[in-house]
Amino acid sequence: MVAVTDLVAEAAALDAADPLAHKRNDFDLDAGVAYFDGNSLGAPPKHVAGRLAAVVREQWGGRLIRSWSEGWWEAPVRVGGRIAPLVGAAPGQVVVADSTSVNLFKALVAATRLQPGRDEILVDADTFPTDGYIADEAARLTGRTVRRVVAEDMPAQVSERTAVALINHVDYVTGRAHDLAGLTAALHRAGALALWDLCHSVGALPVELDAAGVDLAVGCTYKFLNGGPGAPAFLYVATKWLDRFEQPLAGWAGDRDPFAMRGAYEAHAGIERGRAGTPDMLSLLALDAALDVWDGVDRGVLREKGLALGDFFFRCADELLGGAKIPTPRGRDRGHQISVIDDDAAETMAALIDRGVIGDFRPPNVLRFGLAPLYTTYGEVLRAVTTLRDLRG
């Protein structure tokens, strides 16, 4: 049995050697709080508040309506271009607009239109609930059926009937990471399209959409990308599908000439066709500012730190929690989240939060600890485990 003092020394050594340690200074974090909920709401970069105040004061206040023609209108594509490298996408394939749910609906309906002879949508059986809800409604509106399949079983379950499969890159309960490239290839062998939900992976682990040949993807920006509460989501459409991507929300922002005010919609030729209505400029520009923290960050280094934080969590749990049940994989097939089974998860997490360790829980019995490599420290990991040990008596 390793003494806590030894783990304290180990955590200090790991923090001292951390190549990303300096990035924590970019965030507005209470020194008395250990924050493990960046997989639900990322911490605010320090400079965002000032940048957003300047937008309100100088752009909205000073330039008024003129700001729409001075950069606002093009912002969804410009900011999408900043996210593109974080998901392994070449320019011109990512747009920031609307919410994840809305973008899922656009992508699912568009996928069925790209596959007119196929009447089935496969959905990751363990998906985040909204994905399943949206898939059910998209299927109902397009005359398709939904079949729920465990992600790992999709290569055996996909068929000539399958138009598209919707998969979460990282499972939101267990933290398991699915094989994006392998599953995409298996779907393609059956002629189906691959639609990935990146909400729990973008900003946490390397994503290579182009290299994997992914067809469509969506993701939120308020988790590991730190875009702020309710920050707009993004939509990825592979270049090969752009000229045939017919999304169902034919709003004016996606028109090829939105200010022509024609009576009939004509889709834009590029990724702009993924837009629908007028963008939420304050949230969008807050996200734009938040993305500055990614400048110069090596995604490989980010991934290795995320895995190392998880490894240290496992080590501390093994030494201090006495056989705790942890459904998160211990290999590289995981995202940057550790889940712990606790019969009184809601009460336990509330008690952790009262003690300055902020994570979250998912019913009925899962404690979740998000590990954001840009600001989570090894010392905080040890604090989380020791606090959980103390609560368990």
Side-chain angles (χ1 to χ4, degrees):
M1 181 70 68
V2 174
V4 172
T5 52
D6 293 332
L7 292 172
V8 169
E10 186 175 341
L14 288 167
D15 281 326
D18 176 12
L20 293 175
H22 64 287
K23 296 300 293 185
R24 185 181 173 92
N25 295 326
D26 292 341
F27 291 87
D28 190 3
L29 285 163
D30 183 343
V33 168
Y35 189 58
F36 293 97
D37 211 6
N39 53 324
S40 288
L41 176 64
K46 288 178 180 177
H47 67 281
V48 171
R51 188 84 62 81
L52 192 55
V55 168
V56 172
R57 182 176 61 252
E58 299 167 13
Q59 296 181 25
W60 182 14
R63 300 302 294 165
L64 297 168
I65 195 69
R66 291 171 290 186
S67 289
W68 281 111
S69 58
E70 296 172 352
W72 280 8
W73 188 258
E74 298 78 19
V77 173
R78 178 176 58 78
V79 179
R82 299 191 69 188
I83 292 174
L86 299 176
V87 295
Q93 300 175 102
V94 180
V95 64
V96 175
D98 307 307
S99 67
T100 303
S101 297
V102 172
N103 286 333
L104 273 172
F105 181 71
K106 295 174 188 174
L108 281 167
V109 174
T112 65
R113 292 173 174 177
L114 288 167
Q115 302 274 61
R118 293 172 175 246
D119 64 358
E120 175 184 80
I121 297 171
L122 292 186
V123 174
D124 177 357
D126 298 317
T127 190
F128 189 76
T130 195
D131 292 31
Y133 304 157
I134 294 295
D136 287 341
E137 289 305 309
R140 188 163 70 92
L141 290 170
T142 61
R144 267 68 176 182
T145 59
V146 169
R147 187 157 58 97
R148 285 165 168 76
V149 177
V150 173
E152 289 83 355
D153 293 343
M154 283 188 178
Q157 294 290 327
V158 65
S159 74
E160 70 279 356
R161 292 183 52 201
T162 308
V164 59
L166 168 58
I167 316 170
N168 281 246
H169 193 191
V170 172
D171 184 276
Y172 78 104
V173 175
T174 67
R176 178 181 295 277
H178 297 304
D179 182 359
L180 184 143
L183 288 174
T184 297
L187 292 168
H188 285 174
R189 285 193 293 271
L193 302 184
L195 167 57
W196 287 87
D197 181 331
L198 308 177
C199 286
H200 289 86
S201 58
V202 63
L205 57 152
V207 180
E208 300 294 344
L209 296 180
D210 285 354
V214 169
D215 303 288
L216 304 161
V218 300
C220 65
T221 63
Y222 51 78
K223 292 184 172 70
F224 289 111
L225 290 185
N226 313 298
F234 63 88
L235 169 69
Y236 164 90
V237 181
T239 299
K240 64 182 176 182
W241 297 123
L242 267 178
D243 62 350
R244 295 173 55 198
F245 181 80
E246 297 179 5
Q247 60 118 329
L249 301 179
W252 79 307
D255 191 88
R256 68 173 180 82
D257 189 0
F259 295 97
M261 305 299 174
R262 297 185 307 276
Y265 175 83
E266 295 181 30
H268 196 284
I271 189 61
E272 287 91 334
R273 64 174 52 205
R275 298 173 62 177
T278 304
D280 182 340
M281 288 311 305
L282 296 183
S283 289
L284 180 58
L285 294 178
L287 167 63
D288 188 20
L291 290 172
D292 288 354
V293 299
W294 295 98
D295 291 346
V297 173
D298 184 305
R299 290 190 297 151
V301 172
L302 182 88
R303 175 59 167 157
E304 292 308 314
K305 182 185 174 183
L307 289 169
L309 285 166
D311 289 341
F312 188 61
F313 193 108
F314 289 130
R315 173 164 165 72
C316 294
D318 289 344
E319 296 293 342
L320 303 176
L321 295 183
K325 295 180 181 178
I326 300 178
T328 308
R330 294 196 175 216
R332 298 182 70 90
D333 56 336
R334 69 176 191 262
H336 295 172
Q337 167 191 316
I338 305 296
S339 297
V340 179
I341 301 300
D342 186 284
D343 291 340
D344 300 308
E347 293 79 5
T348 299
M349 185 51 67
L352 284 166
I353 291 171
D354 285 344
R355 289 160 176 76
V357 176
I358 301 178
D360 69 3
F361 77 97
R362 288 293 179 263
N365 62 353
V366 176
L367 303 172
R368 302 196 314 167
F369 298 89
L371 308 173
L374 292 187
Y375 54 79
T376 302
T377 70
Y378 295 92
E380 289 172 329
V381 168
L382 178 57
R383 178 181 172 185
V385 177
T386 54
T387 306
L388 183 55
R389 179 204 59 181
D390 294 344
L391 287 172
R392 289 184 165 189

